[in-house]
Amino acid sequence: MTIGILGGGQLGYMLALAGYPLGLHFRFLDPTPEAPVGRIAQRVTADYLDHAALEKFAHGLELVTYEFENVPVEAAKFLAARVPVYPPPAALEAAQDRINEKKLFRELGIATTDSLPVLKKRDLDPAIKELGLPSILKTCRMGYDGKGQWIFRTADDVEKAKSSLTPVPMVLERFVPFTRELSILAVRSKTGETAFYPLVENHHRDGILRLSLAPAPRIEPQIQRTAEDAARRILESLNYVGVLAIEFFEAGGRLLANEMAPRVHNSGHWTIEGAITSQFENHLRAVLGLPLGSAGPAGCSAMLNLIGDLPDSADVLAIPDAHLHLYGKSPRPGRKLGHITLRAASPERLALRLSELPAFFHRPDFCLDSALTHSASLPA
Ligand code: AMP
């Protein structure tokens, strides 16, 4: 049985690695010839809108899924006329545009950040007047890892940014003075069965995820319930199949949804060693209509992204309970090259393991030190 995956990055790579023990085969479609999956599976190198390539790609597939949320909806719809596509293209449509995403959150009664559309440059000043400063302007589409964002702290910042703004639809959001960032991964099978992973605490720097702590320390049961409730509403309203990630800000004891991703997610990499069933395996189980595996944690985990350059593998593997994942990508500033998951029996032990990490992880561009002293995080 062969599963087609749109996008050939590390998420696809890890999906395939989770699928091989289940007897599955994979075929990828990605426009870039250096996509890392080329090392482990069949790959079609073509543009997502190349209909002839899509036909060839779809031939003989059991179903198609995706690991990249900016796949053109048109490509997903073209394929859906030939073979089942999960999650449904409607989920892509909702997640690709920040205005649609926020509209969906509001329609489903999910608390989200206050925001206003800025479709034209002239909408900016009235939006700032209404939402106040500080605020963040984001492009509606194609923004990820903090790209396409402007933070306005003063009126001067707004004036300075005006000349560099590209004429594309944007959204202005009120800045949320959050205590921390949390995310939930939820999964819904073709049969309607659902499972929810515990909330994860995420630390970003320059808009890129650096560290996830899982389960998030000190979570009130009510907060976990709120996150699951939000996820359940989205899963049901979209008749969703597969893994869905939702990112939240925790502020004043409340959760505000920031964005969602209709795919496996970086903040779920810890599940490979840190949960009973990984997000990758559960995504495959879901799209195939197989029983879902438990989303319960196996101890406490910390996932550290390796960005831009790599530490010495021997230094990492000398740490007890450290698991190293390298994606086979060439180093480049800001590029996710791999990750490490540290697993421990208790939060105290995890804090100890993190403090023992080599100097590589205590550089100012990492955020380990701030995470270790963060009041909401690990035990002091
Ligand atoms: P996003 O692309 O929306 O995930 O934003 C990237 C990062 O910018 C988030 O992970 C937050 O750290 C920060 N951020 C985004 N939106 C807001 C907001 N409304 N208030 C405060 N920080 C934000």
Side-chain angles (χ1 to χ4, degrees), residues 98 101-102 113-114 135-136 138 143-147 149 151 173-178 181 204-209 247 249 258-259:
R98 291 187 192 268
E101 194 174 54
K102 291 209 176 352
T113 49
D114 290 330
S135 53
I136 303 194
K138 302 177 178 179
Y144 63 95
D145 287 347
K147 292 188 174 69
Q149 298 192 5
I151 300 189
E173 282 182 25
R174 180 172 285 148
F175 188 88
V176 180
F178 56 80
E181 294 186 70
H204 296 80
R205 184 173 287 262
D206 301 329
I208 306 180
L209 179 68
E247 296 183 61
F249 299 128
N258 174 35
E259 59 181 1

Side-chain angles (χ1 to χ4, degrees), residues 312-360:
D312 190 326
S313 294
D315 284 349
V316 173
L317 297 174
I319 305 163
D321 294 324
H323 301 271
L324 178 63
H325 297 257
L326 301 177
Y327 309 147
K329 292 156 82 177
S330 42
R332 194 193 297 155
R335 198 172 201 201
K336 290 176 182 167
L337 303 174
H339 74 268
I340 294 169
T341 299
L342 291 178
R343 207 179 67 180
S346 66
E348 288 77 15
R349 234 180 145 74
L350 186 63
L352 185 70
R353 286 274 177 264
L354 283 167
S355 67
E356 288 166 357
L357 283 173
F360 181 91

Side-chain angles (χ1 to χ4, degrees), residues 252-284:
R254 284 180 74 214
L255 285 185
L256 292 177
N258 174 35
E259 59 181 1
M260 66 180 206
R263 53 164 171 80
V264 286
H265 194 254
N266 195 172
S267 69
H269 290 2
W270 66 277
T271 60
I272 297 176
E273 292 89 8
I276 309 288
T277 316
S278 81
Q279 63 164 343
F280 302 102
E281 181 175 335
N282 258 341
H283 182 77
L284 295 170

Side-chain angles (χ1 to χ4, degrees), residues 145-372:
D145 287 347
K147 292 188 174 69
Q149 298 192 5
W150 292 261
I151 300 189
F152 302 140
R153 296 185 196 284
T154 62
D156 207 33
D157 293 342
V158 182
E159 287 314 310
K160 275 192 203 135
K162 277 183 182 165
S163 57
S164 65
L165 295 182
T166 38
V168 292
M170 306 213 190
V171 62
L172 185 77
E173 282 182 25
R174 180 172 285 148
F175 188 88
V176 180
F178 56 80
T179 44
R180 56 178 168 169
E181 294 186 70
L182 300 168
S183 61
I184 193 162
L185 278 107
V187 54
R188 182 171 182 270
S189 159
K190 224 163 72 171
T191 64
E193 185 188 0
T194 53
F196 301 89
Y197 287 90
L199 277 162
V200 173
E201 179 179 309
N202 299 314
H203 295 259
H204 296 80
R205 184 173 287 262
D206 301 329
I208 306 180
L209 179 68
R210 307 278 156 161
L211 171 73
S212 293
L213 300 172
R218 297 169 210 170
I219 288 286
E220 297 293 332
Q222 179 54 33
I223 290 281
Q224 175 74 27
R225 268 201 300 276
T226 303
E228 288 186 16
D229 224 53
R232 189 174 289 109
R233 284 179 211 185
I234 296 172
L235 294 177
E236 281 166 14
S237 79
L238 294 173
N239 199 16
Y240 195 92
V241 176
V243 165
L244 169 79
I246 313 175
E247 296 183 61
F248 297 97
F249 299 128
E250 188 184 43
R254 284 180 74 214
L255 285 185
L256 292 177
N258 174 35
E259 59 181 1
M260 66 180 206
R263 53 164 171 80
V264 286
H265 194 254
N266 195 172
S267 69
H269 290 2
W270 66 277
T271 60
I272 297 176
E273 292 89 8
I276 309 288
T277 316
S278 81
Q279 63 164 343
F280 302 102
E281 181 175 335
N282 258 341
H283 182 77
L284 295 170
R285 290 187 188 212
V287 297
L288 288 165
L290 295 169
L292 298 180
S294 163
C300 301
S301 299
M303 188 288 306
L304 299 104
N305 268 338
L306 300 172
I307 295 160
D309 57 354
L310 293 172
D312 190 326
S313 294
D315 284 349
V316 173
L317 297 174
I319 305 163
D321 294 324
H323 301 271
L324 178 63
H325 297 257
L326 301 177
Y327 309 147
K329 292 156 82 177
S330 42
R332 194 193 297 155
R335 198 172 201 201
K336 290 176 182 167
L337 303 174
H339 74 268
I340 294 169
T341 299
L342 291 178
R343 207 179 67 180
S346 66
E348 288 77 15
R349 234 180 145 74
L350 186 63
L352 185 70
R353 286 274 177 264
L354 283 167
S355 67
E356 288 166 357
L357 283 173
F360 181 91
F361 297 99
H362 294 276
R363 301 178 318 190
D365 64 336
F366 215 82
C367 57
L368 183 59
D369 293 335
S370 70
L372 288 172

